[in-house]
Amino acid sequence: GAGVSQSPRYKVAKRGQDVALRCDPISGHVSLFWYQQALGQGPEFLTYFQNEAQLDKSGLPSDRFFAERPEGSVSTLKIQRTQQEDSAVYLCASSSDRVPNEKLFFGSGTQLSVL
Amino acid sequence: AQKITQTQPGMFVQEKEAVTLDCTYDTSDPSYGLFWYKQPSSGEMIFLIYQGSYDQQNATEGRYSLNFQKARKSANLVISASQLGDSAMYFCAMRPTDSWGKLQFGAGTQVVVTP
């Protein structure tokens, strides 16, 4: 596609529910990133894939958070047993090459509200 | 650990004027990359400009320029001839060389351009 696509755009969940957030990167981009952005703050790194390999998941806040990219394209971020502190915008980004000045292309995010 | 500081939570600027957004960083890495992103109300993060720590010249991209002072660990963004469409949140970010996938963002500066 023309850009990074994320769905749903908005998600409301009751506390304790599981949610799945989808990211469609730009076609051909090998690297994919997930970030979490709390209200009024900058994005915080969650995890990073190169193709289907998850190379860094150090930012995942707990074992309730799980990300996958089984075929090296679409990625899903899953949050189990959601808590109110999980409310945030979840941003996905992709990039085409692993060079120092390579910019990330971001999607518009999924705004998750946990009630 | 790296840290990005943006001390200006918000700024008003008149159309056609220039504005400088401050960013300081703290790192012990000898090599790193610095980025500025714009986030309009739509939520998508838009890449503006990149500066490598070993680049001899300050980066420029159209109306955007980066005032890079390595000894002071500052990377201020200058927007010349502001336009109404420049109203957005602006984030400074750093990429350490050894954690390529992990951009660290500041808290952002809200810019409002007035007619």
Side-chain angles (χ1 to χ4, degrees), chain B residues 10-33:
Chain B
M11 299 181 72
F12 285 93
V13 58
Q14 273 202 312
E15 204 175 0
K16 301 179 185 176
E17 290 188 348
V19 61
T20 298
L21 308 183
D22 296 339
C23 173
T24 59
Y25 57 92
D26 185 19
T27 182
S28 56
D29 289 344
S31 178
Y32 49 88

Side-chain angles (χ1 to χ4, degrees), chain B residues 45-66:
Chain B
M45 299 282 282
I46 302 167
F47 168 80
L48 296 178
I49 197 166
Y50 167 84
Q51 179 82 45
S53 59
Y54 289 115
D55 292 344
Q56 295 297 313
Q57 292 188 322
N58 287 343
T60 61
E61 291 277 357
R63 294 186 299 111
Y64 305 106
S65 60
L66 203 151

Side-chain angles (χ1 to χ4, degrees), chain A residues 82-110:
Chain A
T82 52
Q83 304 294 316
Q84 284 189 321
E85 61 263 28
D86 300 335
S87 296
V89 175
Y90 291 85
L91 294 167
C92 177
S94 69
S95 70
S96 61
D97 203 357
R98 191 182 163 120
V99 293
N101 63 341
E102 179 59 29
K103 61 192 178 191
L104 273 59
F105 293 84
F106 283 83
S108 296
T110 294

Side-chain angles (χ1 to χ4, degrees), chain A residues 9-10 107-109, chain B residues 39-46:
Chain A
R9 185 72 177 90
Y10 302 95
S108 296
Chain B
Q39 188 177 42
S41 55
S42 60
E44 184 178 347
M45 299 282 282
I46 302 167

